[in-house]
């Protein structure tokens, strides 16, 4: 090889290094620009798919702090075809695989793992091979492994280069910190029992959305929901059954909400949904969708496994330019909810003067 050819290769190598560093800088800015946990996970996986040119990616994270296991995030599975049992597979934090990554927190291919007697036959590796994993990348935050990226083979079927593994290791470190920050923020703003946003967060976001309406002339609607005869339900079946009902109703609210909606717990069994951009008609339709979903719901009694059913009343109000503060919009939704409960329950009513 001539001196010029050798020099060209060296220059090409450093140009790639500079490009990768610029990419990581942009990725770091993007990951640190949001504290939305679900959006963040989606962003990390999409970056991995694009950078490594693979169609398969998934992420194992700790479902709850100090639970001692990593599980697949349900929305993090991209490309892998997994049965329900495979999706529920757990990797223990004290497993040999995680211990290995604590000692050597960097990307490693499945081929490299299969050459290690200490790892190649452990259940986690057997499962991940069956899943279709080709490269594993530990997420690292504050010196602790807080997740695992699992990636499939390249679309070109080529081997993963050392530069690519280095890139993924650095990316996973950035991702690990971002995920850790988002998890802490979620813990501070989410009601742990229902998964809904807490009251203070609801008030803050509602105020922001009302300000946006005043400045830009956009729409905003608010739903208030209340489980019908909930006090009587608790007296009959007990508070444990009542908690199970609230959790299931909250799941319906969260599941029916769009990505930009804000489902929150106003207090007790009273839940709400802030709907930026929604007209009054759209809010009524959403209220009916949630109400019907709760009406069709069957909840298992934790005391004797019998079937329990509840209904929901919904009140709707929409932003008016004359609204002075949150209280005006909330009062109208609450009055509509009161009317729904006192005109037969299990219905959606929109506030009218």
């Amino acid at each position: 090889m001539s001196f010029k050819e050798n020099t060209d290769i060296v220059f090409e190598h450093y140009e790639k290094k500079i490009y990768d560093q610029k990419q990581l800088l942009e990725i770091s800015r993007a990951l640190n620009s949001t504290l939305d946990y679900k959006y963040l996970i989606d962003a990390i996986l999409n970056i991995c798919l694009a950078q490594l040119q693979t169609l398969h990616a998934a992420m194992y994270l700790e479902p709850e702090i100090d639970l001692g296991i990593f599980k697949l995030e349900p929305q993090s599975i991209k490309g892998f075809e997994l049965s329900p049992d495979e999706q529920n597979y757990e990797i223990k934090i004290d497993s040999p695989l995680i211990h290995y990554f604590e000692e050597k927190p960097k990307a490693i291919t499945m081929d490299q793992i299969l050459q290690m007697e200490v790892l190649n036959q452990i259940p986690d590796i057997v499962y991940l091979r069956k899943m279709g994993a080709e490269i594993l990348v530990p997420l690292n935050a504050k010196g602790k492994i807080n997740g695992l990226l699992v990636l499939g083979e390249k679309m070109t079927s080529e081997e993963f280069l050392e530069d690519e593994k280095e890139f993924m290791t650095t990316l996973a470190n950035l991702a690990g910190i971002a995920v850790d920050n988002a998890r802490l923020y979620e813990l501070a703003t989410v009601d742990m029992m229902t998964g809904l946003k807490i009251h203070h967060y609801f008030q803050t976001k509602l105020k922001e959305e009302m300000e946006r309406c005043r400045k830009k002339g956009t729409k905003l609607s608010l739903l208030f929901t209340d489980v019908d005869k909930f006090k009587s339900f608790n007296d009959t079946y007990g508070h444990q059954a009542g908690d199970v009902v609230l959790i299931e109703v909250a799941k319906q609210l969260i599941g029916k909400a769009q990505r930009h909606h804000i489902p929150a717990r106003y207090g007790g069994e009273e839940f709400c949904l802030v709907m930026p951009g929604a007209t009054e008609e759209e809010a009524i339709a959403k209220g009916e969708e949630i109400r019907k979903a709760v009406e069709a719901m069957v909840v298992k009694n934790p005391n004797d496994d019998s079937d329990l059913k509840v209904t929901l009343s919904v009140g709707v109000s929409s932003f008016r330019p004359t609204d002075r503060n949150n209280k005006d919009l909330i009062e109208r939704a609450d009055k509509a909810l009161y009317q729904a409960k006192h005109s037969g329950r299990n219905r959606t009513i929109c506030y009218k003067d």
Side-chain angles (χ1 to χ4, degrees):
M1 185 183 294
S2 69
F3 176 78
K4 183 179 181 306
E5 287 173 330
N6 190 52
T7 304
D8 289 342
I9 291 170
V10 171
F11 272 123
E12 187 177 324
H13 172 75
Y14 280 109
E15 282 176 355
K16 172 107 176 28
K17 284 277 188 185
I18 292 168
Y19 174 78
D20 285 349
Q21 291 301 315
K22 286 181 178 178
Q23 285 284 92
L24 286 168
L25 185 60
E26 289 302 313
I27 289 167
S28 177
R29 286 174 181 162
L31 294 182
N32 286 293
S33 67
T34 181
L35 288 169
D36 185 315
Y37 191 64
K38 292 180 180 178
Y39 174 82
L40 184 64
I41 290 168
D42 200 49
I44 292 166
L45 291 170
N46 286 331
I47 291 166
C48 292
L49 292 173
Q51 290 295 327
L52 289 190
Q53 296 182 318
T54 176
L55 297 174
H56 304 82
M59 192 184 299
Y60 279 86
L61 294 169
E62 202 172 2
E64 297 174 28
I65 287 179
D66 294 329
L67 197 60
I69 58 168
F70 292 127
K71 289 189 71 172
L72 274 174
E73 281 287 329
Q75 78 273 16
S76 80
I77 305 166
K78 294 183 180 288
F80 290 114
E81 294 183 7
L82 305 175
S83 69
D85 285 345
E86 289 172 328
Q87 289 183 33
N88 289 324
Y89 184 84
E90 298 174 354
I91 298 175
K92 291 183 172 60
I93 287 179
D94 62 357
S95 75
L97 180 63
I98 303 304
H99 282 315
Y100 172 83
F101 281 131
E102 285 170 349
E103 294 292 323
K104 298 179 180 178
K106 54 185 182 181
I108 186 169
T109 64
M110 196 57 75
D111 286 341
Q112 289 174 306
I113 290 174
L114 293 177
Q115 294 171 22
M116 302 179 191
E117 288 185 15
V118 70
L119 290 180
N120 60 16
Q121 294 300 319
I122 66 170
D124 293 339
I125 295 303
V126 173
Y127 163 74
L128 291 168
R129 283 186 68 197
K130 183 183 175 186
M131 176 179 169
E134 288 292 331
I135 184 168
L136 307 179
V137 195
L139 270 62
N140 193 354
K142 300 169 188 172
K144 179 185 174 185
I145 302 301
N146 66 336
L148 186 66
L149 275 169
V150 180
L151 304 165
E153 68 175 359
K154 287 185 181 181
M155 288 183 282
T156 58
S157 297
E158 295 174 353
E159 292 184 359
F160 291 99
L161 304 175
E162 284 304 315
D163 283 353
E164 290 173 323
K165 287 188 280 186
E166 284 179 23
F167 184 92
M168 288 306 302
T169 298
T170 307
L171 170 62
N173 288 336
L174 296 172
I177 294 167
V179 165
D180 207 41
N181 290 339
R183 173 63 64 83
L184 290 171
Y185 180 73
E186 188 174 67
L187 286 172
T189 60
V190 172
D191 174 60
M192 287 297 102
M193 186 179 88
T194 62
L196 297 166
K197 292 295 184 181
I198 61 174
H199 184 94
H200 177 71
Y201 183 93
F202 156 74
Q203 292 283 7
T204 302
K205 296 303 287 186
L206 183 62
K207 183 179 180 182
E208 289 176 7
E209 293 301 334
M210 290 179 73
E211 284 298 320
R212 186 175 286 111
C213 286
R214 291 189 188 96
K215 289 177 181 177
K216 299 187 177 181
T218 52
K219 302 289 184 184
L220 173 66
S221 291
L222 176 64
L223 298 186
F224 258 43
T225 74
D226 191 58
V227 178
D228 295 325
K229 298 183 179 179
F230 189 67
K231 184 180 183 304
S232 175
F233 182 95
N234 266 343
D235 291 342
T236 304
Y237 299 105
H239 288 278
Q240 193 177 0
D243 287 348
V244 172
V245 163
L246 292 183
I247 291 166
E248 293 303 317
V249 171
K251 284 180 183 177
Q252 296 297 334
L253 189 68
I254 294 167
K256 302 298 179 188
Q258 295 179 16
R259 188 167 186 165
H260 60 288
H261 292 167
I262 303 157
R265 188 174 187 179
Y266 190 77
E269 73 275 15
E270 201 166 48
F271 301 160
C272 50
L273 184 66
V274 181
M275 301 177 63
T279 63
E280 197 172 86
E281 293 75 19
E282 289 169 336
I284 293 169
K286 182 59 70 176
E288 275 294 277
E289 184 185 357
I290 294 166
R291 183 192 66 78
K292 288 176 181 176
V294 170
E295 186 180 25
M297 187 176 75
V298 177
V299 178
K300 288 293 180 183
N301 188 334
N303 302 312
D304 59 15
D305 209 35
S306 60
D307 291 345
L308 299 174
K309 291 183 74 67
V310 294
T311 58
L312 198 70
S313 293
V314 184
V316 179
S317 66
S318 291
F319 173 79
R320 297 174 177 180
T322 54
D323 286 340
R324 294 160 299 173
N325 50 40
N326 289 9
K327 186 180 177 183
D328 292 342
L329 184 56
I330 290 170
E331 276 189 352
R332 292 199 303 276
D334 202 37
K335 285 178 180 177
L337 176 60
Y338 180 87
Q339 188 180 350
K341 294 188 79 68
H342 287 267
S343 59
R345 299 184 180 86
N346 191 24
R347 60 192 62 202
T348 300
I349 287 185
C350 183
Y351 178 85
K352 299 293 181 186
D353 290 323

